[in-house]
């Protein structure tokens, strides 16, 4: 299939592009490189530097390319930043995304796969979180993603374009060639491994007084290759829909630190700090719908293999993509 990948130079977009290319698809990556990296563009893909905010350019490019499918990874994704600068999140994650949806419709794209997030659920009213669980985001990041899920629902109804909104839980892991390189880095696993690399003295655990067995927050870590598998399967989904993507296994911050100690052989000192604002105690996915309707099955079900993949990538890229 001929696929237009917006945000294909970012963390998850680059791994998905590689996966699609490995499976015989034709990929065009469109990325502003504001948070993405030129080095994360697979050499087999066509690359177009551009911003989704540039509606006229985007329309031209998409009409010329005659793509069959769009995958949309191009978004800002820092919860904390979204609480300080909500406009930045609604402009990019909603307004620019509407440009992409319009260009997809006008250029005859049949299938649209959207990177949504567990953050659309806020403090979930049930665990595991199902597709039917009420979505009540508690930050502008989650709200911006939920708004665009709704835009897609209406576009599908009115214009007939098929879509899949894939709600990632905690994306983690690396492929042989592509990994996580954010600046600033805020995610747990990369920060822990910076300690093992000797770049940080210790990891600060944000609170150990949550209502969980060891007091630290529980998350559902899902390997980016499993997310990539879901994207490819979503192209052939029987209908438009929303799918939660996680393994269904919750792991606490302390359990992740312990797993990283085993993988790296480093003692990884920790310090217990205050809670981070906006962190729900537990986020675990119920992914039965993706398994049933998409035929999706995550292959990396334990934390060690996920952490090992990142550790391996860091041996080759100790400073991420920067030289
Ligand atoms: N944590 C620490 N210390 C750190 C970093 C993180 O203790 O230095 C803890 C956090 O408090 C949290 C857990 O590790 O309990 C995971 O934190 P991450 O920042 O790695 O991930 P989040 O669960 O906060 O965020 C993820 C996605 C977001 C999405 C969110 C859904 O990265 O895009 O899940 O709530 F919005």
């Amino acid at each position: 299939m001929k696929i237009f990948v917006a945000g294909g130079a970012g963390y998850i977009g680059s791994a998905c592009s590689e996966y699609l290319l490995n499976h015989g698809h034709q990929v065009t990556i469109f990325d502003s490189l504001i948070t993405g990296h030129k080095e994360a563009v697979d050499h087999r893909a066509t690359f177009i530097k551009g911003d989704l905010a540039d509606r006229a350019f985007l329309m031209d490019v998409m009409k010329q390319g005659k793509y069959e499918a769009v995958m949309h990874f191009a978004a800002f994704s820092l919860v904390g930043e979204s609480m300080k600068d909500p406009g930045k999140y609604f402009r990019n994650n909603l307004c620019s995304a509407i440009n992409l949806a319009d260009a997809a419709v006008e250029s005859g794209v049949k299938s649209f796969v959207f990177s949504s997030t567990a953050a659309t659920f806020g403090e979930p009213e049930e665990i595991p979180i199902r597709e039917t669980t009420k979505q009540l985001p508690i930050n502008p990041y989650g709200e911006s993603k939920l708004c665009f899920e709704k835009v897609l629902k209406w576009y599908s109804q009115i214009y007939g374009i098929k879509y899949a909104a894939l709600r990632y839980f905690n994306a983690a892991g690396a492929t042989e060639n592509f990994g996580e390189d954010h600046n600033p880095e805020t995610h747990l696993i990369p920060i822990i491994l910076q300690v093992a690399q000797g770049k940080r003295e210790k990891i600060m655990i944000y609170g150990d007084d949550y209502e969980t067995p060891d007091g630290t927050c529980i998350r559902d870590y899902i390997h980016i290759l499993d997310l990539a598998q879901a994207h490819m399967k979503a192209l052939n989904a029987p209908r438009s829909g929303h799918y939660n993507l996680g393994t269904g296994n919750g792991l606490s911050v302390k359990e992740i630190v312990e797993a990283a100690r085993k993988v790296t052989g480093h003692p990884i000192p920790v310090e217990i700090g205050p809670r981070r604002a906006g962190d729900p105690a537990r986020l675990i996915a119920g992914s039965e719908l993706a398994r049933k309707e998409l035929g999706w099955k995550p292959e990396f079900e334990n934390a060690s293999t996920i952490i090992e993949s990142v550790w391996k990538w860091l041996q080759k890229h100790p400073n991420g993509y920067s030289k």
Side-chain angles (χ1 to χ4, degrees):
M1 227 183 232
K2 203 170 175 205
I3 306 174
F4 184 84
V5 180
Y11 171 42
I12 305 167
S14 60
C16 282
S17 298
E18 181 188 40
Y19 188 89
L20 293 168
L21 288 157
N22 288 347
H23 286 81
H25 292 284
Q26 243 178 293
V27 170
T28 295
I29 290 174
F30 184 93
D31 200 296
S32 66
L33 299 181
I34 290 173
T35 55
H37 305 270
K38 185 77 212 296
E39 299 77 10
V41 173
D42 194 300
H43 64 88
R44 296 166 294 175
T46 303
F47 177 64
I48 301 170
K49 186 167 183 288
D51 198 309
L52 298 180
D54 188 345
R55 189 176 165 93
F57 179 60
L58 181 64
M59 284 285 179
D60 270 3
V61 160
M62 288 199 60
K63 281 182 183 163
Q64 273 174 36
K66 300 192 174 61
Y67 302 98
E68 296 162 271
V70 163
M71 292 194 180
H72 175 31
F73 301 90
F76 294 132
S77 61
L78 298 177
V79 169
E81 183 186 53
S82 80
M83 292 294 282
K84 295 198 184 96
D85 191 355
K88 175 174 175 178
Y89 279 71
F90 287 107
R91 267 190 303 278
N92 189 47
N93 298 2
L94 181 59
C95 302
S96 294
I98 291 173
N99 288 339
L100 182 58
D102 285 339
V105 167
E106 285 194 29
S107 64
V109 164
K110 299 277 172 290
S111 174
F112 194 113
V113 185
F114 169 51
S115 304
S116 190
T117 168
T120 57
F121 292 102
E123 291 279 359
E125 59 175 16
E126 57 177 356
I127 297 286
I129 303 172
R130 291 166 227 274
E131 285 74 14
T132 48
T133 303
K134 221 178 257 164
Q135 288 174 291
L136 295 168
I138 53 170
N139 50 61
Y141 166 63
E143 190 79 69
S144 68
K145 291 279 185 172
L146 178 58
C147 289
F148 193 62
E149 282 193 4
K150 293 181 179 170
V151 169
L152 286 177
K153 191 195 87 176
W154 288 109
Y155 273 47
S156 153
Q157 193 174 313
I158 293 164
Y159 301 120
I161 187 168
K162 189 182 77 174
Y163 77 96
L166 304 180
R167 298 164 183 153
Y168 311 160
F169 279 60
N170 285 62
T175 75
E176 292 275 329
N177 302 307
F178 302 112
E180 193 163 8
D181 182 356
H182 294 122
N183 187 17
E185 188 52 75
T186 60
H187 293 113
L188 182 65
I189 293 175
I191 289 180
I192 290 177
L193 294 181
Q194 285 177 0
V195 181
Q197 283 183 299
K199 291 184 176 174
R200 290 178 190 247
E201 265 178 42
K202 60 187 177 214
I203 167 92
M204 178 73 79
I205 294 183
Y206 299 140
D208 68 349
D209 57 352
Y210 285 93
E211 278 185 32
T212 59
D214 68 18
T216 64
C217 288
I218 291 177
R219 294 287 181 272
D220 186 337
Y221 295 87
I222 176 84
H223 198 287
I224 49 172
L225 278 173
D226 284 331
L227 294 179
Q229 185 209 136
H231 281 76
M232 207 172 78
K233 296 219 149 127
L235 293 172
N236 301 314
R239 59 174 185 101
S240 288
H242 308 101
Y243 302 93
N244 294 350
L245 298 181
T247 61
N249 304 320
L251 287 167
S252 72
V253 176
K254 282 186 179 167
E255 285 172 320
I256 292 287
V257 173
E258 201 41 53
R261 286 179 178 139
K262 291 209 178 91
V263 168
T264 62
H266 190 283
I268 310 182
V270 303
E271 186 182 324
I272 306 296
R275 290 183 177 198
R276 184 172 68 176
D279 273 344
R282 276 148 63 90
L283 291 174
I284 299 173
S287 299
E288 287 70 25
L289 195 64
R291 290 172 196 255
K292 205 170 98 197
E293 284 193 1
L294 305 181
W296 176 70
K297 189 180 176 303
E299 285 170 14
F300 298 82
E301 302 234 23
N302 76 63
S304 302
T305 38
I306 293 180
I307 295 168
E308 265 162 25
S309 71
V310 184
W311 191 231
K312 206 167 148 197
W313 188 73
L314 287 174
Q315 307 312 306
K316 278 209 254 169
H317 304 85
N319 298 312
Y321 291 110
S322 49
K323 298 271 166 350

